[in-house]
Amino acid sequence: EVQLVESGGGLVQAGGSLRVDCAASGFTGDAYAIGWFRQAPGKEREGVSCISSDGTTYYADSVKGRFTISSDNAKNTVYLQMNSLKPEDTAVYYCAAVRQYYSGDYYLNYYWAMKYWGKGTLVTISS
């Protein structure tokens, strides 16, 4: 079965950088979209970034220009490089995947369509 394991979370000061990783396993020959989502306590889960099976990337407006999603297919790993971090970026970051049907931006807006989820990694940005 598909498994997603996030890593790389931690504490960083505002303006700093951090990279979170998503190690995937159990994928079959299906094409998948993989995305990063985040959720702060008491807040709705929101899409951060998504990479489609063809490599197309999508970003939430709030992170565009600061975050970069990438993948290393040989390692079955998706990365989210986060730069110029702000306190409002503080959240548990989740990696999620789904057999792709819609374009990646769909999944950013409708996270409930994602089928497979990791357990999350906490990113805390201090002021």
Side-chain angles (χ1 to χ4, degrees):
E1 64 180 23
V2 173
Q3 293 188 70
L4 303 170
V5 180
E6 303 96 334
S7 63
L11 174 66
V12 64
Q13 294 185 36
S17 299
L18 197 68
R19 192 188 77 179
V20 289
D21 307 336
C22 175
S25 63
F27 286 150
T28 64
D30 299 313
Y32 288 83
I34 301 178
W36 284 97
F37 301 80
R38 65 186 183 186
Q39 187 169 24
K43 295 185 178 180
E44 295 289 337
R45 187 167 300 186
E46 62 177 348
V48 177
S49 184
C50 182
I51 185 165
S52 297
S53 60
D54 65 355
T56 304
T57 58
Y58 304 87
Y59 299 92
D61 289 341
S62 60
V63 307
K64 193 171 185 177
R66 299 189 297 122
F67 292 8
T68 302
I69 190 170
S70 62
S71 64
D72 185 336
N73 292 330
K75 296 181 179 180
N76 287 329
T77 302
V78 173
Y79 308 96
L80 183 68
Q81 178 66 47
M82 302 180 287
N83 299 325
S84 301
L85 285 162
K86 305 174 181 179
E88 51 263 44
D89 293 319
T90 296
V92 175
Y93 282 69
Y94 297 92
C95 179
V98 66
R99 293 183 180 89
Q100 187 170 348
Y101 183 77
Y102 300 107
S103 60
D105 57 343
Y106 171 89
Y107 300 105
L108 276 183
N109 291 296
Y110 304 103
Y111 67 86
W112 52 85
M114 307 300 286
K115 184 176 181 179
Y116 308 102
W117 290 83
K119 294 182 178 180
T121 186
L122 178 63
V123 173
T124 303
I125 314 302
S126 62
S127 301

